[in-house]
């Protein structure tokens, strides 16, 4: 399920680390319904979170620590491959329409629009996509409790992207054959560095070709690609089916 949220900000400035601001809106929506019983499932437990989101800012001007917006209207695209998750979040969004949310760093948002978007099912095993939120590829070292991030600028991007996303697919129930037949190829992409909860992490933005079984592609287009998806990374938009 894909949902478009329209938000109005109280002022036209956001922190550079803005994804956590919009994550707080999602948290507020979920916490407000069913006596908050879904909050732990999606935001406090160790359970995998099968959703992603992307934020579209209006004429943003990036400064050192803040973003100045050309308008106080913001779009948030929410997507999940899980039907139950989709209905829970959709219900939460509708219940909070025209309500205000206090967010970190002193801004306030009003949710003014909730629209369920039509979805296209991919029919081929090769597609062209655009990352609407950065592609984050994280490798965690349990021994040192440290993370390493890969982007298209990494010499081993092809190997590591396939490895990390294949693990994601297997965790979501795909067979090893489907997971191992996956590849993602940069076409018009570049490295970007994103501030996330005070840390700077290496990611990728731009256009990519995905080669995989169509069931894998349809899952990734709904559930998100790579790491940190529920924090606003990995939202992909289909450009062409059958590249």
């Amino acid at each position: 399920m894909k949902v478009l949220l329209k938000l109005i900000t109280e002022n036209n400035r956001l922190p550079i680390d803005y994804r956590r601001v919009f994550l707080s809106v999602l948290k507020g929506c979920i916490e407000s319904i069913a006596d908050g019983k879904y909050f732990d499932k999606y935001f406090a437990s160790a359970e995998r979170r099968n959703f992603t989101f992307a934020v579209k800012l209006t004429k943003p001007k990036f400064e050192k620590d803040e973003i100045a917006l050309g308008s106080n209207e913001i779009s948030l695209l929410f997507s999940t491959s899980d039907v139950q998750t989709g209905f829970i979040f959709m219900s939460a969004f509708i219940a909070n329409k025209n309500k205000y949310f206090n967010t970190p760093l002193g801004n306030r948002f009003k949710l003014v629009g909730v629209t369920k978007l039509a979805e296209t099912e991919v029919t081929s095993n090769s597609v062209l996509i655009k990352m609407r939120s950065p592609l984050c590829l994280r490798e965690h070292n349990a021994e040192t409790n440290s993370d390493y991030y890969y982007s298209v600028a990494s010499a081993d991007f092809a190997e590591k992207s396939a490895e990390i996303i294949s693990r994601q697919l297997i965790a979501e129930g795909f067979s090893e054959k489907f997971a191992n037949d996956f590849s993602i190829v940069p076409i018009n992409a570049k490295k970007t560095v994103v501030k996330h909860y005070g840390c700077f992490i290496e990611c990728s933005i731009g256009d990519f070709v995905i080669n995989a079984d169509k069931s894998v592609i349809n899952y990734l287009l709904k559930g998100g690609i790579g790491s940190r998806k529920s924090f606003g990374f990995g939202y992909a938009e289909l450009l062409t089916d059958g590249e």
Side-chain angles (χ1 to χ4, degrees):
M1 183 182 290
K2 292 184 182 292
V3 184
L4 172 64
L5 305 182
K6 290 289 186 180
L7 298 154
I8 302 294
T9 67
E10 197 166 70
N11 64 66
N12 290 11
R13 303 193 74 82
L14 290 173
I16 289 292
D17 187 1
Y18 67 87
R19 286 173 184 83
R20 64 184 174 125
V21 173
F22 295 97
L23 183 61
S24 74
V25 173
L26 299 183
K27 288 180 176 180
C29 286
I30 290 297
E31 193 172 28
S32 72
I33 65 167
D35 296 322
K37 75 174 185 177
Y38 297 114
F39 185 85
D40 283 353
K41 173 181 173 64
Y42 292 112
F43 297 109
S45 74
E47 186 176 335
R48 294 179 68 86
R49 300 173 180 94
N50 193 3
F51 66 86
T52 183
F53 68 90
V55 179
K56 184 179 180 181
L57 306 176
T58 306
K59 297 180 180 178
K61 182 180 178 183
F62 290 83
E63 301 171 357
K64 182 180 179 182
D65 297 313
E66 291 187 316
I67 304 169
L69 303 177
S71 166
N72 66 343
E73 294 184 7
I74 296 174
S75 298
L76 188 152
L77 290 159
F78 173 90
S79 184
T80 178
S81 63
D82 181 70
V83 174
Q84 183 184 39
T85 295
F87 281 118
I88 290 170
F89 273 87
M90 186 66 171
S91 298
F93 297 149
I94 292 171
N96 283 275
K97 188 176 178 183
N98 295 318
K99 293 184 180 179
Y100 286 91
F101 295 88
N102 293 315
T103 65
L105 306 176
N107 209 340
R108 203 160 73 123
F109 293 82
K110 184 179 182 180
L111 176 58
V112 297
V114 181
T115 305
K116 185 177 180 297
L117 301 178
E119 296 181 76
T120 301
E121 288 291 313
V122 166
T123 58
S124 72
N125 296 329
S126 183
V127 298
L128 178 66
I129 60 139
K130 178 179 287 294
M131 298 307 305
R132 289 300 180 189
S133 59
L135 174 62
C136 176
L137 298 170
R138 178 183 70 133
E139 190 170 60
H140 181 69
N141 187 319
E143 292 183 3
T144 61
N145 194 30
S146 59
D147 295 324
Y148 190 85
Y149 293 88
Y150 298 90
S151 74
V152 292
S154 305
D156 49 358
F157 173 81
E159 174 190 347
K160 290 299 183 180
S161 60
E163 188 179 296
I164 292 167
I165 298 170
S166 291
R167 284 201 298 267
Q168 174 193 351
L169 295 172
I170 290 171
E172 291 298 330
F174 286 93
S175 68
E176 287 193 13
K177 180 182 183 304
F178 278 13
N180 293 336
D181 284 345
F182 171 87
S183 69
I184 183 167
V185 182
I187 298 299
N188 181 24
K190 64 180 181 179
K191 167 186 168 181
T192 186
V193 177
V194 175
K195 190 175 183 181
H196 181 61
Y197 283 89
C199 298
F200 290 93
I201 62 176
E202 188 174 324
C203 301
S204 305
I205 55 173
D207 301 344
F208 297 80
V209 166
I210 292 179
N211 299 302
D213 185 86
K214 63 184 178 182
S215 64
V216 168
I217 297 173
N218 282 311
Y219 157 73
L220 292 172
L221 288 173
K222 294 174 183 178
I225 307 173
S227 313
R228 306 286 195 190
K229 301 185 303 299
S230 63
F231 289 92
F233 295 89
Y235 188 109
E237 176 186 332
L238 177 66
L239 296 181
T240 306
D241 185 358
E243 279 297 312

